[in-house]
Amino acid sequence: MLHSKLPDIGTNIFSRMTALASECGAINLSQGFPDFPAPQALREAMARHAMHGHNQYAPLAGLPALRETLASQLVNDRGVDCDPDTEITVTPGATVAIYCAITACVHPGDEVIVLDPCYDSYEPAITLSGGRAVHVPLDAQTFTPDWDRIESAVNPKTRLIIVNSPHNPTGAVLSRHDLRCLETLATRHDLYVISDEVYEYLVYDDAAHHSVLQLEGLRERSFAVFSFGKTLGVTGWKTGYCVAPPALTSELRKIHQFVCFVAVTPVQQAIADFLHSLPGYPGQLAEDYQARRDRFCSALAGSRFRLRPAAGTYFQLLDYRDISDQPDTVLCETLARQHGVACVPVSVFSQSPDPEQRLLRFCFAKQDSQLEEAAQRLCRI
Ligand SMILES: Cc1ncc(COP(=O)(O)O)c(C=O)c1O
């Protein structure tokens, strides 16, 4: 019997809830992917490049045309200068970028601070590198970091801290002040930072996304990770990228080379074409998603769920404390089987979930008809 390196890991909750949704015919608001088509020009470009373009390996770092387009986007949208040759690496999804960045930083015995609730791909990568994830909870009400508490978890073994904004599963967004606190902490204790910014363009109510790339003290020690799956609505294309200073990028690429070597060529060509001809597209996304969030929240106005509209991402949390005392994992199953709506329990994102917390995560990157029908079913509970 193979001695497992990840004995506690099973099938992830998103796949399990999606399978349950299809088993019982429930509306699937569990997994984070749009159920409406990606832009036609993007899909056409992909078909064109697969038919007529290059279908062989791209350069290891990613197609130069795409990296140059991304460098321009970073200047225009974030005011950040970076060298596409030495600081941008295109990867098969943000997951691979995160895996490579963690592998580059973490040596056996190192500790990595993660903020709970947190996305599920971080800890297994830390474990596989022989490191230990140290879980520090975010504030249970606002999901903001408690920087004093985080600092008290730092010790000489701490090598890295991972942050995620806009945040999956809570929809919370880090403020400029939070990033300054992170900068002070990381500089004082000489920590590396991985900043998972895959939902960077999904920030609502006229708030701004703040990137680690925008603060000098963070820029020099951070890997910032992005996903076209989220920004262009093509999660199945599994393509993302990582921006990091040259010395960090060079270590990341050594690992990327042997994890996957390259990202998919015609996908990169299609994205390069699309972003080159429509550079304003990502910046306009928030308006559409905010309208979806608002329609979903308004349709739930008559329900017994409590909610605070998500500040970012395409996830809306619903608090069911007035409806049930059951654990969220149990209620999720009941909702799918008996009420025909699949969602995700928030407790699975934490090592030690708050026993008082009664939260479910719903993805609102769905067509209006689905959101309306789901809300009607939820209102009947
Ligand atoms: C916070 C977060 N990080 C990373 C990813 C992975 O992105 P990708 O599909 O590009 O690997 C996801 C996907 O759901 C996510 O929610």
Side-chain angles (χ1 to χ4, degrees), residues 93-95 98 119 122 164 168 196 198-199 227 230 235 238-239 315:
T95 309
I98 292 165
Y119 185 62
Y122 311 150
N164 167 215
N168 179 10
D196 179 342
V198 299
Y199 299 101
S227 172
K230 310 296 174 185
T235 59
K238 286 302 288 187
T239 307
F315 301 115

Side-chain angles (χ1 to χ4, degrees), residues 41-49 63 66 232 237 265-276:
L42 177 65
R43 289 179 286 129
E44 281 173 354
M46 167 68 171
R48 197 170 59 243
H49 284 297
L63 284 184
L66 178 56
L232 303 180
W237 289 14
T265 305
V267 169
Q268 294 189 61
Q269 283 178 319
I271 295 171
D273 279 8
F274 181 78
L275 289 178
H276 186 71

Side-chain angles (χ1 to χ4, degrees), residues 77-125:
D77 293 1
R78 308 277 171 238
V80 169
D81 277 313
C82 76
D83 179 344
D85 286 335
T86 58
E87 297 189 289
I88 300 182
T89 309
V90 182
T91 60
T95 309
V96 170
I98 292 165
Y99 185 86
C100 294
I102 289 174
T103 308
C105 293
V106 177
H107 291 258
D110 286 348
E111 292 188 2
V112 180
I113 295 181
V114 297
L115 307 179
D116 274 4
C118 79
Y119 185 62
D120 66 347
S121 82
Y122 311 150
E123 181 155 12

Side-chain angles (χ1 to χ4, degrees), residues 74 80-83 87-88 183 193 211-224 243-246 248-249:
L74 279 163
V80 169
D81 277 313
C82 76
D83 179 344
E87 297 189 289
I88 300 182
E183 183 179 40
V193 176
S211 172
V212 290
L213 301 175
Q214 293 165 315
L215 283 83
E216 220 172 296
L218 286 174
R219 175 85 170 89
E220 63 192 27
R221 55 183 65 249
S222 296
F223 299 83
V243 182
L248 301 190
T249 292

Side-chain angles (χ1 to χ4, degrees), residues 16-93:
R16 275 190 282 137
M17 290 312 297
T18 292
L20 180 63
S22 64
E23 179 196 320
C24 48
I27 298 174
N28 186 8
L29 305 191
S30 64
Q31 207 164 8
F33 63 86
D35 71 346
F36 41 87
Q40 185 168 339
L42 177 65
R43 289 179 286 129
E44 281 173 354
M46 167 68 171
R48 197 170 59 243
H49 284 297
M51 287 305 291
H52 307 294
H54 304 117
N55 290 300
Q56 309 306 335
Y57 296 128
L60 185 142
L63 284 184
L66 178 56
R67 285 182 284 123
E68 275 152 30
T69 302
L70 293 173
S72 309
Q73 191 183 65
L74 279 163
V75 173
N76 294 337
D77 293 1
R78 308 277 171 238
V80 169
D81 277 313
C82 76
D83 179 344
D85 286 335
T86 58
E87 297 189 289
I88 300 182
T89 309
V90 182
T91 60

Side-chain angles (χ1 to χ4, degrees), residues 194-217:
I194 295 177
S195 181
D196 179 342
E197 304 184 16
V198 299
Y199 299 101
E200 61 168 334
Y201 286 105
L202 302 181
V203 175
Y204 309 127
D205 305 314
D206 296 325
H209 170 65
H210 301 288
S211 172
V212 290
L213 301 175
Q214 293 165 315
L215 283 83
E216 220 172 296

Side-chain angles (χ1 to χ4, degrees), residues 39-355:
Q40 185 168 339
L42 177 65
R43 289 179 286 129
E44 281 173 354
M46 167 68 171
R48 197 170 59 243
H49 284 297
M51 287 305 291
H52 307 294
H54 304 117
N55 290 300
Q56 309 306 335
Y57 296 128
L60 185 142
L63 284 184
L66 178 56
R67 285 182 284 123
E68 275 152 30
T69 302
L70 293 173
S72 309
Q73 191 183 65
L74 279 163
V75 173
N76 294 337
D77 293 1
R78 308 277 171 238
V80 169
D81 277 313
C82 76
D83 179 344
D85 286 335
T86 58
E87 297 189 289
I88 300 182
T89 309
V90 182
T91 60
T95 309
V96 170
I98 292 165
Y99 185 86
C100 294
I102 289 174
T103 308
C105 293
V106 177
H107 291 258
D110 286 348
E111 292 188 2
V112 180
I113 295 181
V114 297
L115 307 179
D116 274 4
C118 79
Y119 185 62
D120 66 347
S121 82
Y122 311 150
E123 181 155 12
I126 296 165
T127 309
L128 288 172
S129 281
R132 188 170 83 88
V134 174
H135 294 255
V136 181
L138 294 166
D139 180 273
Q141 306 303 321
T142 58
F143 304 110
T144 48
D146 176 339
W147 293 106
D148 291 335
R149 195 166 174 180
I150 293 169
E151 183 143 32
S152 62
V154 176
N155 66 55
K157 291 187 197 159
T158 313
R159 177 82 49 222
L160 169 71
I161 176 167
I162 304 180
V163 295
N164 167 215
S165 177
H167 184 255
N168 179 10
T170 68
V173 168
L174 289 180
S175 65
R176 182 88 181 168
H177 172 71
D178 284 319
L179 286 195
R180 289 218 179 286
C181 294
L182 176 63
E183 183 179 40
T184 306
L185 178 91
T187 313
R188 189 183 296 147
H189 298 283
D190 196 18
L191 307 179
Y192 294 108
V193 176
I194 295 177
S195 181
D196 179 342
E197 304 184 16
V198 299
Y199 299 101
E200 61 168 334
Y201 286 105
L202 302 181
V203 175
Y204 309 127
D205 305 314
D206 296 325
H209 170 65
H210 301 288
S211 172
V212 290
L213 301 175
Q214 293 165 315
L215 283 83
E216 220 172 296
L218 286 174
R219 175 85 170 89
E220 63 192 27
R221 55 183 65 249
S222 296
F223 299 83
V225 174
F226 306 92
S227 172
F228 299 112
K230 310 296 174 185
T231 302
L232 303 180
V234 284
T235 59
W237 289 14
K238 286 302 288 187
T239 307
Y241 61 104
C242 179
V243 182
L248 301 190
T249 292
S250 146
E251 290 306 313
L252 175 113
R253 287 182 185 170
K254 288 183 192 172
I255 295 157
H256 178 252
Q257 171 167 211
F258 297 113
V259 167
C260 50
F261 184 43
V262 287
V264 175
T265 305
V267 169
Q268 294 189 61
Q269 283 178 319
I271 295 171
D273 279 8
F274 181 78
L275 289 178
H276 186 71
S277 59
L278 285 172
Y281 178 86
Q284 290 161 4
L285 267 190
E287 195 181 330
D288 174 69
Y289 279 91
Q290 183 175 323
R292 285 178 206 276
R293 178 201 68 175
D294 290 345
R295 283 193 291 273
F296 185 51
C297 290
S298 312
L300 285 164
S303 78
R304 292 197 290 149
F305 291 97
R306 296 187 195 183
L307 68 85
R308 203 178 322 124
T313 71
Y314 43 48
F315 301 115
Q316 178 61 48
L317 294 188
L318 298 186
D319 184 326
Y320 63 90
R321 79 182 78 170
D322 299 329
I323 297 176
S324 168
D325 258 350
Q326 290 182 317
D328 56 1
T329 44
V330 176
L331 191 71
C332 250
E333 180 121 9
T334 312
L335 282 189
R337 290 193 190 282
Q338 293 176 18
H339 302 280
V341 183
C343 59
V344 168
V346 170
S347 65
V348 301
F349 294 84
S350 293
Q351 184 183 51
S352 311
D354 177 351

